[in-house]
């Protein structure tokens, strides 16, 4: 009988770099991929935290940047073969829990206005639109800035 591996979410480190870069290549078009150096900084930075969801393999990551009052959700990506199974939810819930323990008051993020999957996930977790920045990702590619208070119910 084949054992079914259980998904767990916890800290990621520099040892996860290659697996994260694999997700990055699978999850984003080339023009939007973060470089090895960007991920190295994210994994090593003192004010940054990366959480990974894994079973036998790394299936998704979320990268968070903490200031005294605000936490920026810098990145979230799930293995394209494993989407719509709750991994994004699990990562976001863990990120919000971590933010609550760090005492920040708000989580904010930028997302492309045409990224329906990510916007639906964020809205399901109580994020609301704060502003739209025109051409943020290049000509004709706008960003929506979204935010929500930290603490209280994670899920709306
Ligand atoms: C956004 C992303 C992280 C969601 O991960 P996921 O594991 O598939 O998400 P979940 O299975 O936890 O979905 C949670 C909810 O989000 C919404 N959602 C997720 N994918 C969706 C899609 N393709 N279309 C519509 N809603 C979607 C739904 O409300 C879903 O709940 P449901 O399945 O009960 O309907 C994933 O699509 C991804 O990696 N996208 C590419 C990277 C990216 O664009 N990241 C965001 C910018 S940094």
């Amino acid at each position: 009988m084949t054992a079914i591996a259980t998904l767990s979410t916890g800290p990621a480190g520099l040892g996860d770099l290659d697996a994260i870069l694999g997700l990055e290549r699978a999850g984003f078009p080339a023009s939007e991929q973060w470089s090895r150096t960007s991920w190295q900084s994210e994994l090593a930075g003192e004010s940054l935290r990366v959480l990974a969801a894994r079973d036998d393999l790394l299936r998704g990551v979320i990268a968070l940047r903490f200031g005294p009052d605000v936490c920026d959700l810098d990145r979230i990506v799930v293995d394209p073969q494993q989407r719509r199974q709750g991994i994004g939810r699990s990562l976001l819930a863990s990120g919000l829990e971590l933010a609550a323990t760090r005492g920040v008051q708000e989580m904010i993020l930028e997302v492309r206005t045409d990224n329906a999957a990510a916007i639906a996930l964020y809205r399901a977790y109580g994020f609301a639109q704060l502003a739209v920045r025109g051409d943020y990702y290049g000509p004709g590619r706008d960003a929506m800035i979204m935010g929500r208070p930290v603490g209280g119910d994670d899920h709306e």
Side-chain angles (χ1 to χ4, degrees):
M1 188 193 289
T2 310
I4 297 170
T6 312
L7 194 87
S8 66
T9 303
L14 283 168
D16 295 310
L17 186 54
D18 286 335
I20 291 173
L21 289 171
L23 278 187
E24 186 75 20
R25 282 192 292 271
F28 289 99
S31 61
E32 293 177 22
Q33 286 168 21
W34 280 11
S35 66
R36 176 173 284 270
T37 311
S38 300
W39 269 110
Q40 264 168 338
S41 315
E42 203 81 14
L43 287 160
E46 279 186 15
S47 60
L48 303 165
R49 284 291 172 273
V50 181
L51 303 175
R54 31 180 132 230
D55 44 30
D56 49 337
L57 294 172
L58 194 141
R59 303 297 188 183
V61 284
I62 185 169
L64 305 161
R65 184 155 34 96
F66 287 94
D69 299 323
V70 173
C71 172
D72 286 273
L73 194 173
D74 281 347
R75 202 73 161 165
I76 182 168
V77 57
V78 170
D79 179 347
Q81 307 300 320
Q82 306 289 328
R83 289 186 186 161
R84 295 311 284 269
Q85 296 179 50
I87 298 175
R89 279 181 195 283
S90 160
L91 287 165
L92 190 49
S94 298
L96 285 162
E97 257 175 55
L98 178 62
T101 65
R102 298 279 294 250
V104 298
Q105 285 156 24
E106 192 180 14
M107 187 177 286
I108 59 171
L109 58 88
E110 289 119 26
V111 59
R112 267 178 63 165
T113 51
D114 60 0
N115 191 341
I119 290 171
L121 172 64
Y122 300 144
R123 286 203 194 284
Y125 275 80
F127 285 83
Q129 176 178 325
L130 303 177
V132 172
R133 285 194 180 142
D135 298 336
Y136 186 79
Y137 296 106
R141 297 190 299 157
D142 299 344
M144 188 191 297
I145 317 298
M146 302 183 83
R148 60 154 278 172
V150 168
D153 285 345
D154 272 352
H155 197 273
E156 73 180 5

